[in-house]
């Protein structure tokens, strides 16, 4: 049973870079069955897919965020990471990490979520 | 991008009622539709995948149907723990997109 643990700062200053890491346990990280995904949810609003990265490092991201998003993997640590540059208040959200099943199309299970607030 | 539109945005119902939530895709997505339940302060939980397949451990009062562009989530005999927000998500193509959510409230 996959488990995901998120880490990273909860407060980021405007124009700076948001960095989050998700550590995966309980399953195969280096598998073609999954893409490793980031989803965010602004306070009181709906879910937005941010992007996904394969264990080999291939990425796919939301067109609206593509110019500011970078994702990477560290297979030695079973970790994947998100960097979002030039953040503004609009990037304030709960960020989730989750595996995306390439065969079934679901996100499951989800990390616990981290509220990242962009504020000076 | 495929736009996902849920209706209604909010619905009030009583324990024991039957509720149906609709999700419409802006283009055909075959049966590549997933439903999640989210309670306040919690991460979303997978309910249904492939439009109609119930995730293990999810009560049988939840069911899904549809294909192409029109999908429904039905909850029969509502229980107190079912009051939450429900989201659909298309898995047909990138960028992956979600509906805006339907809040199910206690009447």
């Amino acid at each position: 049973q996959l488990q995901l643990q998120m880490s990273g700062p909860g407060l980021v200053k405007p124009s700076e870079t948001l960095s989050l890491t998700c550590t995966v346990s309980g399953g195969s990280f280096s598998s073609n069955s999954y893409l490793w995904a980031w989803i965010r949810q602004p306070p009181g609003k709906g879910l937005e897919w941010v992007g996904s990265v394969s264990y080999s490092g291939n990425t796919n991201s939301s067109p609206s965020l593509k110019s500011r998003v970078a994702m990477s993997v560290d297979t030695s640590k079973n970790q994947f990471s998100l960097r979002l540059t030039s953040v503004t208040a609009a990037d304030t959200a709960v960020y989730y990490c989750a595996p995306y099943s390439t065969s079934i199309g679901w996100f499951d299970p989800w990390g616990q979520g981290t509220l990242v607030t962009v504020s000076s | 991008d495929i736009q996902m539109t849920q209706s209604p945005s909010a619905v009030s119902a009583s324990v024991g009622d039957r509720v149906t939530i609709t999700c419409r895709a802006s283009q055909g997505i075959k049966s590549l539709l997933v439903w999640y339940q989210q309670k306040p302060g919690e991460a979303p939980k997978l309910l249904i995948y492939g439009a109609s397949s119930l995730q293990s451990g999810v009560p049988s009062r939840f069911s899904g149907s549809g294909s192409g562009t029109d999908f429904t989530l039905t909850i029969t005999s509502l229980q107190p723990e079912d009051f939450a927000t429900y989201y659909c998500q298309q898995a047909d193509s990138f960028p992956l997109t979600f509906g805006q959510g339907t809040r199910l409230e206690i009447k």
Side-chain angles (χ1 to χ4, degrees), chain A residues 7-34:
Chain A
S7 59
L11 181 63
V12 182
K13 290 183 167 57
S15 80
E16 296 192 345
T17 297
L18 177 160
S19 295
L20 295 171
T21 296
C22 190
T23 302
V24 180
S25 61
S28 177
F29 183 76
S30 299
S31 167
N32 287 321
S33 296
Y34 298 113

PDB file of all heavy atoms in Angstrom, chain A residues 7-34:
ATOM      1  N   SER A   7       6.775  17.260   2.395  1.00  0.00           N
ATOM      2  CA  SER A   7       7.582  18.153   3.201  1.00  0.00           C
ATOM      3  C   SER A   7       7.878  19.419   2.409  1.00  0.00           C
ATOM      4  O   SER A   7       7.924  19.400   1.179  1.00  0.00           O
ATOM      5  CB  SER A   7       8.884  17.480   3.631  1.00  0.00           C
ATOM      6  OG  SER A   7       9.631  17.070   2.507  1.00  0.00           O
ATOM      7  N   GLY A   8       8.086  20.495   3.150  1.00  0.00           N
ATOM      8  CA  GLY A   8       8.382  21.770   2.524  1.00  0.00           C
ATOM      9  C   GLY A   8       7.814  22.907   3.343  1.00  0.00           C
ATOM     10  O   GLY A   8       6.953  22.692   4.207  1.00  0.00           O
ATOM     11  N   PRO A   9       8.265  24.114   3.073  1.00  0.00           N
ATOM     12  CA  PRO A   9       7.826  25.270   3.863  1.00  0.00           C
ATOM     13  C   PRO A   9       6.372  25.637   3.600  1.00  0.00           C
ATOM     14  O   PRO A   9       5.860  25.455   2.494  1.00  0.00           O
ATOM     15  CB  PRO A   9       8.768  26.390   3.396  1.00  0.00           C
ATOM     16  CG  PRO A   9       9.273  25.960   2.076  1.00  0.00           C
ATOM     17  CD  PRO A   9       9.302  24.477   2.089  1.00  0.00           C
ATOM     18  N   GLY A  10       5.743  26.145   4.644  1.00  0.00           N
ATOM     19  CA  GLY A  10       4.351  26.542   4.519  1.00  0.00           C
ATOM     20  C   GLY A  10       4.176  28.014   4.167  1.00  0.00           C
ATOM     21  O   GLY A  10       3.052  28.458   3.954  1.00  0.00           O
ATOM     22  N   LEU A  11       5.268  28.742   4.123  1.00  0.00           N
ATOM     23  CA  LEU A  11       5.194  30.172   3.830  1.00  0.00           C
ATOM     24  C   LEU A  11       6.292  30.530   2.827  1.00  0.00           C
ATOM     25  O   LEU A  11       7.460  30.199   3.026  1.00  0.00           O
ATOM     26  CB  LEU A  11       5.366  30.983   5.107  1.00  0.00           C
ATOM     27  CG  LEU A  11       5.286  32.506   4.981  1.00  0.00           C
ATOM     28  CD1 LEU A  11       3.911  32.947   4.499  1.00  0.00           C
ATOM     29  CD2 LEU A  11       5.631  33.156   6.316  1.00  0.00           C
ATOM     30  N   VAL A  12       5.890  31.178   1.762  1.00  0.00           N
ATOM     31  CA  VAL A  12       6.823  31.597   0.715  1.00  0.00           C
ATOM     32  C   VAL A  12       6.552  33.065   0.390  1.00  0.00           C
ATOM     33  O   VAL A  12       5.383  33.474   0.328  1.00  0.00           O
ATOM     34  CB  VAL A  12       6.674  30.735  -0.559  1.00  0.00           C
ATOM     35  CG1 VAL A  12       7.682  31.157  -1.625  1.00  0.00           C
ATOM     36  CG2 VAL A  12       6.839  29.258  -0.232  1.00  0.00           C
ATOM     37  N   LYS A  13       7.598  33.823   0.194  1.00  0.00           N
ATOM     38  CA  LYS A  13       7.423  35.246  -0.136  1.00  0.00           C
ATOM     39  C   LYS A  13       7.080  35.421  -1.619  1.00  0.00           C
ATOM     40  O   LYS A  13       7.514  34.629  -2.473  1.00  0.00           O
ATOM     41  CB  LYS A  13       8.691  36.021   0.200  1.00  0.00           C
ATOM     42  CG  LYS A  13       8.977  36.158   1.689  1.00  0.00           C
ATOM     43  CD  LYS A  13      10.220  36.995   1.922  1.00  0.00           C
ATOM     44  CE  LYS A  13      10.361  37.411   3.375  1.00  0.00           C
ATOM     45  NZ  LYS A  13      10.375  36.243   4.287  1.00  0.00           N
ATOM     46  N   PRO A  14       6.316  36.442  -1.927  1.00  0.00           N
ATOM     47  CA  PRO A  14       6.009  36.736  -3.326  1.00  0.00           C
ATOM     48  C   PRO A  14       7.282  36.879  -4.141  1.00  0.00           C
ATOM     49  O   PRO A  14       8.290  37.405  -3.652  1.00  0.00           O
ATOM     50  CB  PRO A  14       5.246  38.059  -3.254  1.00  0.00           C
ATOM     51  CG  PRO A  14       4.646  38.068  -1.894  1.00  0.00           C
ATOM     52  CD  PRO A  14       5.631  37.387  -1.000  1.00  0.00           C
ATOM     53  N   SER A  15       7.235  36.386  -5.371  1.00  0.00           N
ATOM     54  CA  SER A  15       8.318  36.381  -6.357  1.00  0.00           C
ATOM     55  C   SER A  15       9.359  35.298  -6.094  1.00  0.00           C
ATOM     56  O   SER A  15      10.235  35.085  -6.932  1.00  0.00           O
ATOM     57  CB  SER A  15       9.006  37.747  -6.467  1.00  0.00           C
ATOM     58  OG  SER A  15       9.935  37.939  -5.419  1.00  0.00           O
ATOM     59  N   GLU A  16       9.262  34.620  -4.958  1.00  0.00           N
ATOM     60  CA  GLU A  16      10.237  33.577  -4.671  1.00  0.00           C
ATOM     61  C   GLU A  16       9.748  32.221  -5.200  1.00  0.00           C
ATOM     62  O   GLU A  16       8.761  32.143  -5.925  1.00  0.00           O
ATOM     63  CB  GLU A  16      10.541  33.551  -3.172  1.00  0.00           C
ATOM     64  CG  GLU A  16      11.207  34.839  -2.712  1.00  0.00           C
ATOM     65  CD  GLU A  16      11.786  34.765  -1.308  1.00  0.00           C
ATOM     66  OE1 GLU A  16      11.447  33.823  -0.568  1.00  0.00           O
ATOM     67  OE2 GLU A  16      12.557  35.675  -0.949  1.00  0.00           O
ATOM     68  N   THR A  17      10.466  31.170  -4.843  1.00  0.00           N
ATOM     69  CA  THR A  17      10.180  29.837  -5.382  1.00  0.00           C
ATOM     70  C   THR A  17       9.611  28.918  -4.313  1.00  0.00           C
ATOM     71  O   THR A  17      10.165  28.795  -3.220  1.00  0.00           O
ATOM     72  CB  THR A  17      11.451  29.218  -5.977  1.00  0.00           C
ATOM     73  OG1 THR A  17      11.897  30.023  -7.077  1.00  0.00           O
ATOM     74  CG2 THR A  17      11.197  27.798  -6.480  1.00  0.00           C
ATOM     75  N   LEU A  18       8.505  28.297  -4.647  1.00  0.00           N
ATOM     76  CA  LEU A  18       7.865  27.295  -3.796  1.00  0.00           C
ATOM     77  C   LEU A  18       8.525  25.952  -4.084  1.00  0.00           C
ATOM     78  O   LEU A  18       8.658  25.569  -5.261  1.00  0.00           O
ATOM     79  CB  LEU A  18       6.372  27.255  -4.135  1.00  0.00           C
ATOM     80  CG  LEU A  18       5.423  26.263  -3.465  1.00  0.00           C
ATOM     81  CD1 LEU A  18       3.979  26.787  -3.614  1.00  0.00           C
ATOM     82  CD2 LEU A  18       5.517  24.869  -4.043  1.00  0.00           C
ATOM     83  N   SER A  19       8.936  25.255  -3.027  1.00  0.00           N
ATOM     84  CA  SER A  19       9.574  23.944  -3.197  1.00  0.00           C
ATOM     85  C   SER A  19       8.931  22.937  -2.261  1.00  0.00           C
ATOM     86  O   SER A  19       8.854  23.173  -1.049  1.00  0.00           O
ATOM     87  CB  SER A  19      11.073  24.028  -2.898  1.00  0.00           C
ATOM     88  OG  SER A  19      11.730  24.854  -3.828  1.00  0.00           O
ATOM     89  N   LEU A  20       8.477  21.835  -2.811  1.00  0.00           N
ATOM     90  CA  LEU A  20       7.870  20.764  -2.033  1.00  0.00           C
ATOM     91  C   LEU A  20       8.457  19.423  -2.464  1.00  0.00           C
ATOM     92  O   LEU A  20       8.813  19.242  -3.625  1.00  0.00           O
ATOM     93  CB  LEU A  20       6.356  20.727  -2.236  1.00  0.00           C
ATOM     94  CG  LEU A  20       5.561  21.922  -1.729  1.00  0.00           C
ATOM     95  CD1 LEU A  20       4.109  21.833  -2.195  1.00  0.00           C
ATOM     96  CD2 LEU A  20       5.607  22.011  -0.207  1.00  0.00           C
ATOM     97  N   THR A  21       8.510  18.512  -1.509  1.00  0.00           N
ATOM     98  CA  THR A  21       9.003  17.158  -1.784  1.00  0.00           C
ATOM     99  C   THR A  21       8.001  16.150  -1.251  1.00  0.00           C
ATOM    100  O   THR A  21       7.374  16.365  -0.209  1.00  0.00           O
ATOM    101  CB  THR A  21      10.378  16.930  -1.138  1.00  0.00           C
ATOM    102  OG1 THR A  21      11.321  17.819  -1.748  1.00  0.00           O
ATOM    103  CG2 THR A  21      10.853  15.505  -1.321  1.00  0.00           C
ATOM    104  N   CYS A  22       7.854  15.068  -1.970  1.00  0.00           N
ATOM    105  CA  CYS A  22       6.961  13.989  -1.581  1.00  0.00           C
ATOM    106  C   CYS A  22       7.770  12.696  -1.534  1.00  0.00           C
ATOM    107  O   CYS A  22       8.423  12.338  -2.526  1.00  0.00           O
ATOM    108  CB  CYS A  22       5.820  13.882  -2.586  1.00  0.00           C
ATOM    109  SG  CYS A  22       4.489  12.780  -2.110  1.00  0.00           S
ATOM    110  N   THR A  23       7.731  12.029  -0.384  1.00  0.00           N
ATOM    111  CA  THR A  23       8.466  10.774  -0.203  1.00  0.00           C
ATOM    112  C   THR A  23       7.482   9.617  -0.252  1.00  0.00           C
ATOM    113  O   THR A  23       6.470   9.630   0.452  1.00  0.00           O
ATOM    114  CB  THR A  23       9.226  10.767   1.122  1.00  0.00           C
ATOM    115  OG1 THR A  23      10.126  11.892   1.159  1.00  0.00           O
ATOM    116  CG2 THR A  23      10.026   9.484   1.287  1.00  0.00           C
ATOM    117  N   VAL A  24       7.796   8.642  -1.070  1.00  0.00           N
ATOM    118  CA  VAL A  24       6.905   7.515  -1.320  1.00  0.00           C
ATOM    119  C   VAL A  24       7.426   6.270  -0.611  1.00  0.00           C
ATOM    120  O   VAL A  24       8.623   5.968  -0.667  1.00  0.00           O
ATOM    121  CB  VAL A  24       6.807   7.241  -2.834  1.00  0.00           C
ATOM    122  CG1 VAL A  24       5.882   6.054  -3.114  1.00  0.00           C
ATOM    123  CG2 VAL A  24       6.310   8.482  -3.573  1.00  0.00           C
ATOM    124  N   SER A  25       6.537   5.565   0.045  1.00  0.00           N
ATOM    125  CA  SER A  25       6.899   4.305   0.687  1.00  0.00           C
ATOM    126  C   SER A  25       5.812   3.274   0.447  1.00  0.00           C
ATOM    127  O   SER A  25       4.694   3.617   0.047  1.00  0.00           O
ATOM    128  CB  SER A  25       7.110   4.509   2.192  1.00  0.00           C
ATOM    129  OG  SER A  25       5.923   4.979   2.790  1.00  0.00           O
ATOM    130  N   GLY A  26       6.169   2.016   0.653  1.00  0.00           N
ATOM    131  CA  GLY A  26       5.172   0.949   0.594  1.00  0.00           C
ATOM    132  C   GLY A  26       4.865   0.430  -0.789  1.00  0.00           C
ATOM    133  O   GLY A  26       3.889  -0.315  -0.954  1.00  0.00           O
ATOM    134  N   GLY A  27       5.651   0.809  -1.779  1.00  0.00           N
ATOM    135  CA  GLY A  27       5.382   0.320  -3.126  1.00  0.00           C
ATOM    136  C   GLY A  27       6.542   0.604  -4.047  1.00  0.00           C
ATOM    137  O   GLY A  27       7.588   1.086  -3.623  1.00  0.00           O
ATOM    138  N   SER A  28       6.340   0.330  -5.326  1.00  0.00           N
ATOM    139  CA  SER A  28       7.407   0.495  -6.300  1.00  0.00           C
ATOM    140  C   SER A  28       7.407   1.908  -6.871  1.00  0.00           C
ATOM    141  O   SER A  28       6.486   2.299  -7.586  1.00  0.00           O
ATOM    142  CB  SER A  28       7.253  -0.522  -7.431  1.00  0.00           C
ATOM    143  OG  SER A  28       8.247  -0.306  -8.411  1.00  0.00           O
ATOM    144  N   PHE A  29       8.430   2.668  -6.529  1.00  0.00           N
ATOM    145  CA  PHE A  29       8.540   4.037  -7.038  1.00  0.00           C
ATOM    146  C   PHE A  29       8.945   4.026  -8.512  1.00  0.00           C
ATOM    147  O   PHE A  29       8.453   4.824  -9.302  1.00  0.00           O
ATOM    148  CB  PHE A  29       9.563   4.816  -6.209  1.00  0.00           C
ATOM    149  CG  PHE A  29       9.693   6.259  -6.601  1.00  0.00           C
ATOM    150  CD1 PHE A  29       8.736   7.175  -6.225  1.00  0.00           C
ATOM    151  CD2 PHE A  29      10.783   6.699  -7.332  1.00  0.00           C
ATOM    152  CE1 PHE A  29       8.841   8.512  -6.580  1.00  0.00           C
ATOM    153  CE2 PHE A  29      10.911   8.029  -7.694  1.00  0.00           C
ATOM    154  CZ  PHE A  29       9.934   8.947  -7.319  1.00  0.00           C
ATOM    155  N   SER A  30       9.851   3.138  -8.840  1.00  0.00           N
ATOM    156  CA  SER A  30      10.384   3.075 -10.214  1.00  0.00           C
ATOM    157  C   SER A  30       9.545   2.127 -11.050  1.00  0.00           C
ATOM    158  O   SER A  30       9.994   1.050 -11.450  1.00  0.00           O
ATOM    159  CB  SER A  30      11.854   2.641 -10.185  1.00  0.00           C
ATOM    160  OG  SER A  30      12.621   3.572  -9.457  1.00  0.00           O
ATOM    161  N   SER A  31       8.331   2.531 -11.317  1.00  0.00           N
ATOM    162  CA  SER A  31       7.379   1.702 -12.044  1.00  0.00           C
ATOM    163  C   SER A  31       6.731   2.527 -13.145  1.00  0.00           C
ATOM    164  O   SER A  31       6.408   3.698 -12.947  1.00  0.00           O
ATOM    165  CB  SER A  31       6.304   1.181 -11.090  1.00  0.00           C
ATOM    166  OG  SER A  31       5.221   0.624 -11.803  1.00  0.00           O
ATOM    167  N   ASN A  32       6.537   1.884 -14.285  1.00  0.00           N
ATOM    168  CA  ASN A  32       5.818   2.553 -15.376  1.00  0.00           C
ATOM    169  C   ASN A  32       4.315   2.635 -15.122  1.00  0.00           C
ATOM    170  O   ASN A  32       3.589   3.236 -15.914  1.00  0.00           O
ATOM    171  CB  ASN A  32       6.062   1.811 -16.687  1.00  0.00           C
ATOM    172  CG  ASN A  32       7.475   2.026 -17.210  1.00  0.00           C
ATOM    173  OD1 ASN A  32       8.005   3.117 -17.114  1.00  0.00           O
ATOM    174  ND2 ASN A  32       8.071   0.983 -17.743  1.00  0.00           N
ATOM    175  N   SER A  33       3.875   2.042 -14.013  1.00  0.00           N
ATOM    176  CA  SER A  33       2.437   2.051 -13.713  1.00  0.00           C
ATOM    177  C   SER A  33       1.956   3.398 -13.201  1.00  0.00           C
ATOM    178  O   SER A  33       0.758   3.653 -13.175  1.00  0.00           O
ATOM    179  CB  SER A  33       2.117   0.985 -12.666  1.00  0.00           C
ATOM    180  OG  SER A  33       2.396  -0.302 -13.167  1.00  0.00           O
ATOM    181  N   TYR A  34       2.910   4.219 -12.761  1.00  0.00           N
ATOM    182  CA  TYR A  34       2.523   5.483 -12.142  1.00  0.00           C
ATOM    183  C   TYR A  34       3.246   6.673 -12.756  1.00  0.00           C
ATOM    184  O   TYR A  34       4.389   6.565 -13.217  1.00  0.00           O
ATOM    185  CB  TYR A  34       2.860   5.472 -10.644  1.00  0.00           C
ATOM    186  CG  TYR A  34       2.149   4.424  -9.837  1.00  0.00           C
ATOM    187  CD1 TYR A  34       2.857   3.370  -9.255  1.00  0.00           C
ATOM    188  CD2 TYR A  34       0.772   4.482  -9.642  1.00  0.00           C
ATOM    189  CE1 TYR A  34       2.211   2.414  -8.506  1.00  0.00           C
ATOM    190  CE2 TYR A  34       0.126   3.507  -8.892  1.00  0.00           C
ATOM    191  CZ  TYR A  34       0.845   2.485  -8.324  1.00  0.00           C
ATOM    192  OH  TYR A  34       0.206   1.532  -7.590  1.00  0.00           O
TER     193      TYR A  34
END
